């Protein structure tokens, strides 16, 4: 959004050209009307390519990107990051996981450390359902460094969707602790849980916990 763009770099392990994509769905599809929600590139044999996506590529961004290669025997090596074009030195490396691995893992609990050092520091929570067949309910809790439960709330995540909670500590009403953990527990539903916590410092640096 804004001046931020997402870059995805691919390195081809195969001796043939591949079609690679980044999109809102885990499978490639043909677009007939923009915005398409998917961006394609041709990956040369034994070569590399880079996709750059912006908000204009997506009609309704779901909070994560699926990255793939059409008919690849060996998946390409992939690196992803977001870059602030207004301040190119400000970039965030993005975590990459095989969706099949996460679905098989099917975690019931996610735990993320946080640390608030100065004014302007805050943590944004992403909670996603990646199975795309059914939704789930979660309990979100904040624990102090000592392990004391400070606050909690509940949320529902529809199938294939992501909820994005800006400054999760403030949303939980937590103001008096500087470090601890945010815990997300699946409480109902058969969907597949995944998520991350992006901590933003007052000077604009971002740290991602998965």
């Amino acid at each position: 959004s804004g001046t931020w763009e997402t870059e995805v770099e691919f390195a081809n392990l195969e001796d043939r050209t591949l079609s690679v994509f980044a999109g809102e769905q885990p499978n490639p599809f043909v677009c007939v009307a923009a915005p398409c929600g998917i961006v394609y590139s041709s990956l040369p044999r034994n070569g590399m390519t880079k996709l750059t996506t912006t908000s204009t590529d997506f009609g309704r961004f779901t909070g994560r990107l699926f990255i793939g290669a059409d008919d690849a025997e060996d998946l390409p090596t992939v690196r992803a990051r977001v870059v602030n074009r207004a301040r190119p030195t400000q970039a965030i490396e993005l975590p990459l996981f095989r969706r099949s691995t996460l679905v098989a893992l099917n975690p019931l609990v996610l735990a993320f450390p946080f640390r608030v050092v100065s004014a302007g520091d805050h943590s944004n929570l992403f909670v996603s359902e990646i199975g795309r067949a059914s939704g789930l309910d979660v309990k979100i809790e904040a624990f102090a460094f000592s392990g004391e439960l400070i606050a909690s709330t509940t949320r529902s995540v529809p199938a294939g969707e992501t909820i994005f909670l800006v400054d999760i500590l403030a949303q939980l009403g937590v103001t008096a602790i500087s470090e601890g953990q945010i815990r997300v527990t699946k409480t109902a539903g058969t969907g597949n849980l995944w998520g991350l916590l992006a901590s933003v410092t007052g000077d604009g640096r971002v740290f991602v916990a998965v």
Side-chain angles (χ1 to χ4, degrees):
S1 64
T3 58
W4 290 88
E5 294 179 346
T6 302
E7 294 180 344
V8 185
E9 297 177 339
F10 298 83
N12 197 349
L13 304 178
E14 297 191 23
D15 190 24
R16 64 189 179 104
T17 299
L18 297 173
S19 176
V20 295
F21 67 90
E24 295 177 348
Q25 307 295 330
N27 302 304
F29 56 89
V30 176
C31 174
V32 294
C36 296
I38 194 167
V39 181
Y40 284 98
S41 182
S42 178
L43 178 57
R45 63 188 187 92
N46 301 317
M48 70 86 60
T49 191
K50 180 171 72 174
L51 286 173
T52 301
T53 69
T54 67
S55 58
T56 58
D57 297 316
F58 300 96
R60 185 186 59 83
F61 184 49
T62 56
R64 74 282 170 108
L65 285 176
F66 294 101
I67 299 168
D70 245 348
D71 299 323
E73 294 181 8
D74 295 307
L75 289 177
T77 301
V78 184
R79 175 189 181 217
R81 65 178 189 156
V82 290
V83 182
N84 185 356
R85 293 304 176 198
R87 185 180 167 189
T89 56
Q90 189 176 28
I92 308 162
E93 294 293 320
L94 296 178
L96 294 168
F97 302 91
R98 291 191 69 163
R99 178 172 171 266
S100 58
T101 299
L102 299 182
V103 170
L105 181 64
N106 193 22
L108 300 180
V109 181
L110 308 175
F112 309 104
F114 70 83
R115 191 167 181 230
V116 179
V117 177
S118 60
D121 293 1
H122 66 278
S123 296
N124 302 326
L125 179 67
F126 296 78
V127 181
S128 190
E129 195 291 308
I130 61 172
R132 303 180 65 246
S134 59
L136 52 87
D137 296 331
V138 296
K139 178 170 61 175
I140 302 170
E141 300 168 294
F143 290 87
F145 180 83
S146 62
E148 178 189 0
L149 175 62
I150 302 298
S152 67
T153 188
T154 58
R155 290 289 192 280
S156 294
V157 187
E161 299 289 334
T162 296
I163 59 172
F164 177 39
L165 302 176
V166 178
D167 198 350
I168 181 60
L169 292 175
Q171 291 205 36
L172 291 171
V174 176
T175 58
I177 59 175
S178 60
E179 54 187 343
Q181 74 164 266
I182 296 294
R183 184 180 299 174
V184 181
T185 304
K186 182 165 74 171
T187 58
T190 58
N192 295 96
L193 172 66
W194 193 243
L196 60 82
L197 188 75
S199 296
V200 185
T201 66
D203 61 6
R205 291 173 296 157
V206 180
F207 303 93
V208 177
V210 296

